[in-house]
Amino acid sequence: MRNHIAVLPCDGAGKEVVPEAIKVLRAAGADLDFQEYDVNADQYMRTGEPIPAQVWSDLEKADAILFGAVGDPRLDDAAYLAGVLLRLRFELDLYVNLRPAKLFDDRLSPLRREDRRKMDLLIVRENTEGLYVGMGGRFKKGTEHEVAIQEDLNTYAGVTRILEYAFGAANREVVMVDKSNAMTHAGGLWQQQWKAVSKKHPKVKTRHLYVDAAAMQLVRDPTQFDVIVTGNLFGDILSDLTAELIGGMGIAPSGNVNPETKRGLFEPVHGTAPDIAGRGVVNPIGAILSASMMVRHLGYTEMATAIEGAVESAIRAGECTRDVGGSLSTSECGDAVAKRLRD
């Protein structure tokens, strides 16, 4: 039975890069049932629904979601984003956010020392808790006495399951990152469960770093890391840092998955890029690699490996967009990767 893939290009750059990802999947021989849905800012402005009810019903049944980017300068991005991407993450319980960071070509690294450039790590970010759940509020808003509170939600179950996932993903070491020396309550729970889960995996090396030290170590020598596991906010920040270490946000992929239900949403991390969207210059590599993560999640391991190899070959040959040293358009870059899979 063919896997059903719900396609949500959404807004801005997403509309340009998702078709390139599908082009590459087809060139790789993917026998998938793609169905695109009308979820975007225009639809939201017409109906007031970020995701229409019938579309939501279909998304719940999909084997995976291939996502573009959400946001529009005409809208309050926070409310619209919450109604689309955060709803998908929270209500489908996609509690694992995967942010791999692999350097495909030395010339893309900003690091001076050549021996510290060749990074290949994975950030495992807790995706449904932390500061992003929206708990809190503002009191006496608009006055000089205004108070704003944003609460950091961490649960025993949520922390435990993300730590367990990280150990399962590790090749040699898991590094847990927090700020428990300052955030003593949330950090205390992370420390407690880190110690408990670590004992269950004695063959995997472990290390703990505070988030500021982790940021410094990533810039100093990212090759030292295998798997980093952390909470929602710190994972968001550190994974953008690692994206810059491999060539920028344009080539950084991500996956949002639930290992138990097998649901998954896969998206590039560059956002809608309103400054360059619609000009044919957006880098599709992040979307293509996200599609590769999607088919790997669905069990097509050889196909995923082939796509990643084609991406690396195209980048090394300079057949890519300007942000990573090439001169190709969005569609030409997609063609360059697809051609390598057909040849």
Side-chain angles (χ1 to χ4, degrees):
M1 185 175 177
R2 299 168 75 195
N3 291 110
H4 173 62
I5 309 302
V7 180
L8 301 179
C10 293
D11 303 303
K15 296 178 181 179
E16 297 179 74
V17 298
V18 168
E20 300 309 310
I22 294 173
K23 176 196 295 181
V24 168
L25 287 172
R26 287 180 168 147
D31 186 21
L32 302 171
D33 175 27
F34 297 103
Q35 184 170 351
E36 184 172 330
Y37 292 92
D38 187 27
V39 174
N40 51 57
D42 289 335
Q43 184 278 140
Y44 174 65
M45 293 174 73
R46 285 196 312 270
T47 68
E49 292 183 287
I51 302 178
Q54 183 54 56
V55 174
W56 180 262
S57 178
D58 288 352
L59 296 178
E60 288 185 303
K61 299 169 189 171
D63 293 306
I65 300 170
L66 185 58
F67 194 88
V70 62
D72 191 291
R74 297 171 295 173
L75 295 168
D76 175 356
D77 266 14
Y80 176 46
L81 173 68
V84 180
L85 187 56
L86 296 186
R87 183 186 179 191
L88 286 163
R89 289 177 179 175
F90 292 162
E91 294 193 26
L92 297 181
D93 198 24
L94 305 177
Y95 68 88
V96 179
N97 180 254
L98 299 171
R99 289 288 298 270
K102 179 179 180 180
L103 183 70
F104 289 119
D105 194 313
D106 260 14
R107 65 182 172 78
L108 300 181
S109 174
L111 299 182
R112 183 175 62 233
R113 286 185 52 170
E114 292 183 12
D115 62 326
R116 294 183 175 178
R117 294 175 185 168
K118 200 63 178 176
M119 59 188 288
D120 186 1
L121 62 83
L122 175 66
I123 292 181
V124 177
R125 165 188 168 192
E126 202 294 315
N127 208 31
T128 58
E129 296 187 353
L131 284 162
Y132 291 10
V133 300
M135 292 179 64
R138 292 168 70 179
F139 178 57
K140 296 184 178 179
K141 189 174 180 180
T143 75
E144 62 182 15
H145 303 292
E146 183 171 351
V147 177
I149 297 173
Q150 194 83 27
E151 298 193 50
D152 185 10
L153 175 72
N154 298 267
T155 67
Y156 179 101
V159 173
T160 303
R161 67 183 183 175
I162 198 67
L163 291 170
E164 288 282 9
Y165 185 92
F167 276 95
N171 293 310
R172 63 179 191 275
E173 182 187 44
V174 177
V175 177
M176 194 275 276
V177 172
D178 66 9
K179 191 61 178 170
S180 54
N181 57 341
M183 301 170 64
T184 55
H185 302 304
L189 177 59
W190 276 82
Q191 285 289 330
Q192 170 189 294
Q193 294 313 107
W194 168 242
K195 292 169 185 174
V197 174
S198 296
K199 289 179 181 177
K200 296 165 61 178
H201 302 273
K203 295 182 180 180
V204 180
K205 289 176 60 180
T206 59
R207 188 164 37 126
H208 167 259
L209 289 173
Y210 295 127
V211 65
D212 41 2
M216 290 188 290
Q217 289 295 328
L218 279 166
V219 172
R220 188 184 70 82
D221 182 10
T223 65
Q224 68 182 280
F225 293 102
D226 175 24
V227 169
I228 295 172
V229 61
T230 189
N232 212 336
L233 175 64
F234 298 149
D236 194 357
I237 296 168
L238 292 179
S239 57
D240 282 1
L241 187 158
T242 58
E244 285 302 310
L245 294 176
I246 62 169
M249 299 291 278
I251 61 174
S254 76
N256 306 266
V257 303
N258 183 309
E260 289 76 44
T261 65
K262 307 302 182 186
R263 284 172 167 162
L265 180 152
F266 301 85
E267 56 172 328
V269 302
H270 51 59
T272 57
D275 55 328
I276 58 172
R279 292 164 46 192
V281 298
V282 179
N283 193 334
I285 295 296
I288 292 168
L289 290 174
S290 297
S292 172
M293 292 179 70
M294 181 183 74
V295 292
R296 189 179 295 280
H297 175 73
L298 293 171
Y300 303 104
T301 305
E302 291 184 6
M303 183 185 300
T305 301
I307 293 171
E308 291 158 13
V311 165
E312 181 169 7
S313 173
I315 289 175
R316 286 182 175 274
E319 295 181 28
C320 44
T321 49
R322 287 183 297 174
D323 57 305
V324 284
S327 59
L328 301 185
S329 68
T330 304
S331 61
E332 288 170 341
C333 181
D335 290 340
V337 177
K339 179 179 182 296
R340 285 165 166 78
L341 292 163
R342 294 192 191 99
D343 289 348

